[in-house]
Amino acid sequence: MSAQVFHRRPTLMQLAADLGAGRTSSAALVEEALARISDPAGEGRRCFIAVYADQARKAAAAQDALRQAGYAASPLAGLPVSIKDLFDVAGEPTLAGSRALDDAPPALHDAPVVARLRAAGAVLIGRTNMTEFAFSAVGINPHFGTPGNPYDRRCIPGGSSSGAGVSVADGFAAVAIGSDTGGSVRIPAALCGVVGFKPTQLRITREGAVPLSTTLDSIGPLANSVACCALTDAVLAGEAPVLPPEIPVDAVRLGVPRMLVLDDLDAPTAGAFERACTLLARAGARLVDLPLGEFSEYMAINAKGGFAPPEAYAWHAGLIARRGSDYDPRVRQRIERGGKMSAAEYVALSWQRRDLIARVETSTAAVDALLMPTTALVAPPIAAFDKDEDYWRLNSRLLRNTAIINFLDGCAVSLPIHPPGTAPVGLMIAARNGQDRRLLGIALGIEAIIERARG
């Protein structure tokens, strides 16, 4: 077991304050990050597909010079930031964690989110490893290796933004940028003991990112606090990097769904969730049990795999024909499943989604946000996924709670609630479409209560 994940790493605000006061420099922060990444005893070589050592040093020197001249573009200025391997960076091929794209032409332009990070003064430290083509919650990658979980290196990091979660937890980056189609930001955040935010899909442009599902894909940050995620989210959305006001827990009604999302929880997850709910109730939050029978319909509606397989197949069909032998067989299998969905089934799925969203919005109108465990279980061992049947079963169990929010096009935060020294567990706080900044304000209040109790 590693104690790294429980070390209180500094937040963006603390680092920005240290830079502003001259207690550290961007150059020093980048050198510390690069030293951790290059440590042969660490996970750097599995966490990153590419490390921008030279570019990061030059960018750090430039940010230090700007700060000395009185310029700091944002709270991210001068801080090391990692990006998931599916974002375009000008002059580089975008691999998306795959060997099948190694002959792709280099990107002509930065993805807009990458350009916004640069404009905010962030120092790009490298491209993080991921499940190939983002199609799994597990984080195993047979091409580039699987970064070990910071709590126990024998366990999975969660996916698909596997390297993103480890890069934050292990101090390789102050913040990581991932993507989330069914939980790919929140699941590694939960399993690695950090904070992750999935915004409403259209809040942040997905241009310049290799798609999985055009209906469900979203882009969000992983970091050391809710405030870190809120500031980074603003940068990614092209907004002023300011925090939303914290909403105290005694000013909100929090719904606890009783259907599906509390089923089949392992003991650490069930215990941590119950303790978190008790803490919040004692602090004045009004917790409301919600039957939310609509959630029980989710699995049946998506019995043929949902939107991701057919939308992925439309993008991948030609590449599979040309380079299919270079795919992770498990990823290829899921993508090819999409070729079996008819147009009528796809249209019906879209209708069912719209209907379910409308009914859930009605059923949750009296609460400000929903509370549920981010995943049903703590990180399993990598070895538990050796057999295909176990891989699919555990992958489905990891995705169950988070994927519902993508299907509903909601927004959600995952923050750690496990006792120090135990396997990480995430609490998911979710809200309706477009309620992103208010949700982050609610999460700030919840985090304050949880962190005081965790000590």
Side-chain angles (χ1 to χ4, degrees):
M1 186 183 79
S2 167
Q4 291 188 61
V5 75
F6 304 110
H7 177 69
R8 293 297 182 89
R9 298 205 179 276
T11 64
L12 298 185
M13 297 71 67
Q14 291 167 336
L15 292 170
D18 287 345
L19 287 168
R23 290 188 290 269
T24 190
S25 66
S26 179
L29 293 175
V30 165
E31 289 301 335
E32 290 170 10
L34 291 173
R36 292 189 183 106
I37 292 168
S38 63
D39 182 354
E43 294 299 303
R45 67 188 183 279
R46 286 179 287 271
C47 185
F48 286 90
I49 288 175
V51 178
Y52 298 143
D54 293 340
Q55 301 98 311
R57 290 186 174 106
K58 291 174 182 176
Q63 288 300 318
D64 284 336
L66 283 170
R67 192 175 293 275
Q68 288 170 8
Y71 295 93
S74 81
L76 286 173
L79 302 182
V81 174
S82 69
I83 57 171
K84 191 173 181 176
D85 190 47
L86 51 65
F87 296 111
D88 284 350
V89 174
E92 301 178 6
T94 306
L95 299 179
S98 179
R99 298 291 188 190
L101 287 175
D102 59 14
D103 59 354
L108 297 177
H109 308 285
D110 285 344
V113 294
V114 173
R116 288 171 180 173
L117 289 168
R118 292 194 202 271
V123 177
L124 301 184
I125 202 76
R127 304 174 71 110
T128 51
N129 199 357
M130 55 183 282
T131 305
E132 184 182 46
F133 294 118
F135 214 168
S136 163
V138 176
I140 290 174
N141 187 307
H143 310 300
F144 298 99
T146 301
N149 188 291
Y151 172 73
D152 185 338
R153 300 301 186 188
R154 298 167 297 181
C155 295
I156 62 164
S160 64
S161 307
S162 53
V166 175
S167 74
V168 172
D170 279 3
F172 302 153
V175 63
I177 311 302
S179 67
D180 190 309
T181 304
S184 288
V185 162
R186 290 159 291 156
I187 291 167
L191 300 190
C192 292
V194 300
V195 179
F197 175 56
K198 174 246 178 291
T200 301
Q201 190 199 34
L202 294 182
R203 176 168 171 76
I204 296 169
T205 175
R206 290 160 290 127
E207 181 185 348
V210 174
L212 174 56
S213 166
T214 52
T215 298
L216 304 175
D217 292 345
S218 56
I219 293 169
L222 300 88
N224 290 305
S225 72
V226 173
C228 297
C229 286
L231 290 170
T232 306
D233 164 77
V235 168
L236 298 179
E239 298 176 356
V242 295
L243 290 176
E246 179 180 322
I247 300 174
V249 297
D250 59 5
V252 295
R253 288 169 60 87
L254 301 171
V256 181
R258 290 295 168 183
M259 191 65 69
L260 185 65
V261 297
L262 299 184
D263 294 346
D264 195 26
L265 303 181
D266 68 8
T269 303
F273 182 69
E274 183 178 352
R275 287 191 297 272
C277 289
T278 299
L279 278 173
L280 295 173
R282 287 175 180 169
R286 288 164 290 173
L287 269 60
V288 181
D289 283 348
L290 295 178
L292 269 184
E294 295 86 353
F295 276 17
S296 67
E297 301 174 45
Y298 167 79
M299 301 299 282
I301 290 172
N302 288 273
K304 290 184 177 292
F307 289 104
E311 292 177 350
Y313 185 74
W315 193 92
H316 283 271
L319 185 61
I320 288 175
R322 186 170 62 86
R323 297 287 302 270
S325 61
D326 294 311
Y327 278 60
D328 175 349
R330 287 166 168 170
V331 169
R332 178 176 172 175
Q333 180 181 342
R334 294 189 77 190
I335 293 171
E336 290 183 326
R337 180 183 183 187
K340 299 177 175 65
M341 181 180 282
S342 71
E345 289 170 330
Y346 182 85
V347 171
L349 179 63
S350 298
W351 290 345
Q352 290 174 303
R353 184 193 191 210
R354 285 197 297 271
D355 174 67
L356 191 70
I357 289 172
R359 288 189 287 121
V360 170
E361 287 182 350
T362 299
S363 297
T364 58
V367 299
D368 297 286
L370 299 177
L371 293 182
M372 61 192 86
T374 308
T375 62
L377 69 166
V378 298
I382 295 171
F385 296 85
D386 288 347
K387 297 179 180 178
D388 282 353
E389 59 267 31
D390 293 331
Y391 184 100
W392 301 124
R393 174 180 56 81
L394 290 169
N395 181 62
S396 178
R397 195 172 168 202
L398 287 166
L399 279 166
R400 185 194 66 197
N401 290 6
T402 53
I404 291 174
I405 305 305
N406 297 77
F407 194 75
L408 297 173
D409 195 20
C411 49
V413 174
S414 178
L415 57 87
I417 56 171
H418 53 285
T422 64
V425 174
L427 172 70
M428 184 162 61
I429 311 147
R432 292 178 288 280
N433 178 297
Q435 297 291 310
D436 300 68
R437 298 304 278 179
R438 176 167 170 76
L439 171 69
L440 287 163
I442 292 170
L444 286 169
I446 291 174
E447 180 185 51
I449 299 299
I450 299 294
E451 287 303 303
R452 278 200 293 271
R454 293 179 81 216

